[in-house]
Amino acid sequence: MTPQTPVSPRTPLRFGYGTNGLTDLRLDDALALLADLGYDGVGLTLDHMHLDPLAEDLAARTRRVAHRLDALGLGVTVETGARYVLDPRRKHGPSLLDPDPVDRARRADLLLRAVRVAADLGAHAVHCFSGTTPAGTDEDTAWKRLAESLAPVLDAAATAGVPLAVEPEPGHLLATLADFHRLRRTLGDPENLGLTLDIGHCQCLEPLPPADCVRAAAPWLRHVQIEDMRRGVHEHLPFGDGEIDFPPVLEALATTGYQGLTVVELPRHSHAGPHFAERSLPFLRRAAAASHHTNRSGEPSATH
C-alpha cells in the first residue's frame, strides 16, 4: 500500500475589508455594509473621517465602535496608514525616520494611541510601517531611528497584549521580508513584534512567489492585507486585474495556522468602495474553495 503524504490541518480563513477603501462612508455605515456582505471583520484605519486618533474624546468614541463591532459580529485589526492624519501637507508624515526627534515622537505617539485603541477594541494586531528614508539620511542612521522609535511602542503593545505588525512597504526603508528580519534581529527578536504581509507587495517585489512568501513569513505573521498587483508596479488592483494566482496563496495561509483577518486593501478605489467590497468577498471565497486544487509550490493553478 502506497503511503499517503500527510496533509497539514487547514485553518478557516477570515476575510475583512479595509476602511481606507471606504472613506466616503460614515464608519457606522461602512461597518454595517461589511457585516451585510458577510465579511468576518474590518481593517480599521485610524483617520479623521472614521475613528480620529487625535480626537479629545477618543476613548469614548472607541467604546462606541467596540459596541458596534460586537453587535455586528465583526473582528478588527487597527491600521495606521492614514495619509494625512498627522500632517496635512506630507503624505504619511512625519515618520519614525524623520531627522527631528519631535516629529519622530509624534509618529510614535500615534502608534501608542493605536495600541490603546486596539486593546479597547479587542483587535488582533496593530499595523504600522517604517516610512521612507529622508533625504540626506544614511541607511544605518535610519535603521537606528526606526529601532529606537519602535521600542516604547513594542513595550506598550506587550503590556496591552496586542501584537505590533510591521508592514514591508515598497519604497520604504523596511520594504521586504529580509528587511523585517533585519529589524527583528536589531531589536533582539521581541515576542510582540510581528509582521503584516501584503500579498500584492509580495508579487510586486519579493523574489519568492506570494504563496512561498506566506510560508516563509508564517512564524511571524500577525496581519494580512490582500489585493491584486503586477510585478514591479506598486499599484493596488481589484482582484483579477493583476497577475496573482490566489488559490495557492489562500491555501498557504490556511495551512500556516494563521488566525487573524485577511483584509482587502483598495485605498485608491474608495470612490466605488461599496462596489468593490461587494465584488471582493465572492472572489476570495471562490479562490479559497479552489485552493485544494493547488500544489504547495505556489505554481499557477488551473483555476486562475
Side-chain angles (χ1 to χ4, degrees):
M1 188 175 189
T2 304
Q4 293 185 343
T5 302
V7 177
S8 300
R10 302 175 85 261
T11 302
L13 297 178
R14 301 168 60 230
F15 296 117
Y17 200 93
T19 59
N20 62 357
L22 296 169
T23 56
D24 291 322
L25 275 65
R26 297 177 182 88
L27 182 56
D28 273 1
D29 292 338
L31 297 179
L33 170 72
L34 298 182
D36 288 346
L37 291 175
Y39 282 92
D40 301 294
V42 59
L44 176 58
T45 295
L46 302 184
D47 208 348
H48 65 89
M49 80 292 291
H50 286 150
L51 186 56
D52 187 347
L54 304 183
E56 292 185 3
D57 59 344
L58 177 59
R61 294 188 186 196
T62 301
R63 285 193 294 272
R64 289 196 293 271
V65 173
H67 291 314
R68 184 71 168 147
L69 291 168
D70 184 61
L72 293 170
L74 292 173
V76 62
T77 186
V78 171
E79 303 197 359
T80 60
R83 294 185 180 95
Y84 296 101
V85 70
L86 293 179
D87 188 325
R89 293 175 175 82
R90 282 193 298 163
K91 180 183 176 182
H92 294 152
S95 81
L96 298 171
L97 311 179
D98 276 20
D100 187 341
V102 174
D103 277 346
R104 296 200 298 275
R106 289 178 61 209
R107 174 61 61 171
D109 178 67
L110 174 67
L111 299 183
L112 291 170
R113 289 169 178 258
V115 168
R116 291 194 292 271
V117 168
D120 290 344
L121 294 180
H124 71 79
V126 172
H127 148 277
C128 70
F129 47 75
S130 68
T132 58
T133 304
T137 299
D138 65 86
E139 188 175 288
D140 287 344
T141 298
W143 279 105
K144 181 180 179 182
R145 288 174 184 166
L146 178 60
E148 290 177 349
S149 297
L150 282 180
V153 183
L154 282 164
D155 288 344
T159 299
V162 180
L164 187 70
V166 180
E167 179 187 7
E169 181 81 19
H172 284 207
L173 174 70
L174 198 158
T176 64
L177 288 172
D179 293 332
F180 167 75
H181 290 300
R182 175 173 177 171
L183 175 65
R184 182 177 58 80
R185 291 190 298 268
T186 299
L187 290 168
D189 197 14
E191 183 178 353
N192 225 48
L193 177 64
L195 173 71
T196 292
L197 188 69
D198 187 302
I199 302 302
H201 295 173
C202 297
Q203 176 69 22
C204 179
L205 52 69
E206 292 287 351
L208 295 173
D212 287 342
C213 288
V214 169
R215 286 186 281 271
W220 302 276
L221 200 55
R222 300 295 179 268
H223 182 43
V224 175
Q225 297 171 339
I226 194 166
E227 69 285 314
D228 219 337
M229 206 168 285
R230 301 186 182 98
R231 184 70 179 170
V233 182
H234 184 204
E235 181 183 3
H236 291 234
L237 299 172
F239 297 117
D241 288 2
E243 301 169 341
I244 298 175
D245 183 36
F246 285 95
V249 174
L250 298 179
E251 175 69 12
L253 273 175
T255 56
T256 61
Y258 172 67
Q259 297 180 1
L261 292 171
T262 298
V263 172
V264 179
E265 190 182 26
L266 292 173
R268 296 186 182 275
H269 293 76
S270 195
H271 64 283
H275 167 74
F276 286 106
E278 184 175 7
R279 279 185 52 191
S280 296
L281 186 57
F283 179 96
L284 289 170
R285 285 176 170 167
R286 288 193 301 270
S291 65
H292 66 278
H293 296 300
T294 66
N295 59 46
R296 293 184 61 81
S297 70
E299 292 299 318
S301 71
T303 59
H304 183 59

